[in-house]
Amino acid sequence: MICPPLPKYHLEAQASIILHPGSRHLRIGRPSDSVPHTVLHAIARKRRSGAQPHADPFLVPQAKLEPESVQELEECRLKVSHILQSSLMSDGTRRFATPPQQIAAYNKRIQPIREEDTESSPPWVCSDKEYVVGDEILSLHPNLEYNVHFPLRRGDLNVHKGLGGSISAVLADLETIWGHCISTILNVPLKDLKFYRAVLIIPDIYNRDYVKKLTHLLLTGLGFGGCFVLQVGGI
């Protein structure tokens, strides 16, 4: 029995890889996957002897806003609050607006709950690899000499004046992370990427020059046969 050939759209879906890079996580997968694979979007590189240590914080640093920006955010918050107060609930009844003073008084008398850590020690992992990618970074023993880099911050390239903060270093980190995830998670050899197309998801607010560099990375650095950029709201 001869099986009929697969439809063209099915072949195209199997030959496409979607990359949704974020400040903390990278979501990657094929269009046919029900859910994407989510990995820590970071890389730990072994520190050279005598080199300066560096580690990007796991949490995105809080942005310093000007007073005008703070005022603008407060006005937007009040507008949203007024819209919610005037809208009906799902059962058709009017929404009850709690006075801010009542909320502040309630929060003041609530005591935080302290949870005790019953585990004796985390399962640290010792490694001698030149670099470690993704969630495995969280298990590295603290005494190991690795520099940790997050190549994206707030949906933009994490270019800074510190170690590994140049544009070339950031792009090199992205190429290593993405290539590692493609070969280990999706089981696609990098030499075969010329037969695949990449779908790069970018935020609605983006740096045009950086997007050009990311596209060049996918086509030239990783060697994809084609690339499509999709703009969505928020990363």
Side-chain angles (χ1 to χ4, degrees), residues 1-14:
M1 179 179 179
I2 301 178
C3 296
L6 293 174
K8 182 179 179 181
Y9 70 86
H10 181 81
L11 294 176
E12 292 178 349
Q14 291 298 324

Side-chain angles (χ1 to χ4, degrees), residues 198-215:
V199 179
L200 177 65
I201 300 179
I202 62 173
D204 50 0
I205 301 177
Y206 62 91
N207 186 312
R208 184 180 181 88
D209 182 58
Y210 286 175
V211 173
K212 291 172 62 176
K213 286 181 170 59
L214 294 180
T215 304

Side-chain angles (χ1 to χ4, degrees), residues 99-217:
Q101 297 82 357
Q102 183 177 345
I103 297 176
Y106 176 81
N107 291 337
K108 187 176 181 179
R109 64 173 182 267
I110 293 298
Q111 298 295 326
I113 299 176
R114 181 177 179 180
E115 295 185 0
E116 298 292 340
D117 187 4
T118 57
E119 296 184 2
S120 57
S121 61
W124 297 121
V125 175
C126 292
S127 174
D128 58 352
K129 300 177 182 178
E130 286 298 320
Y131 65 85
V132 177
V133 170
D135 299 344
E136 189 179 348
I137 296 175
L138 302 177
S139 302
L140 289 176
H141 196 283
N143 293 334
L144 295 178
E145 296 185 346
Y146 280 91
N147 290 334
V148 180
H149 303 278
F150 283 81
L152 289 184
R153 275 292 182 257
R154 298 188 179 91
D156 213 340
L157 297 184
N158 186 21
V159 178
H160 54 83
K161 297 181 180 179
L163 184 66
S166 65
I167 183 66
S168 58
V170 172
L171 292 174
D173 288 342
L174 286 173
E175 182 176 347
T176 303
I177 295 172
W178 295 359
H180 177 85
C181 293
I182 290 171
S183 60
T184 59
I185 297 178
L186 302 183
N187 296 319
V188 176
L190 298 184
K191 61 181 181 61
D192 292 342
L193 287 183
K194 59 186 176 182
F195 304 113
Y196 285 78
R197 287 169 294 275
V199 179
L200 177 65
I201 300 179
I202 62 173
D204 50 0
I205 301 177
Y206 62 91
N207 186 312
R208 184 180 181 88
D209 182 58
Y210 286 175
V211 173
K212 291 172 62 176
K213 286 181 170 59
L214 294 180
T215 304
H216 184 268
L217 185 155

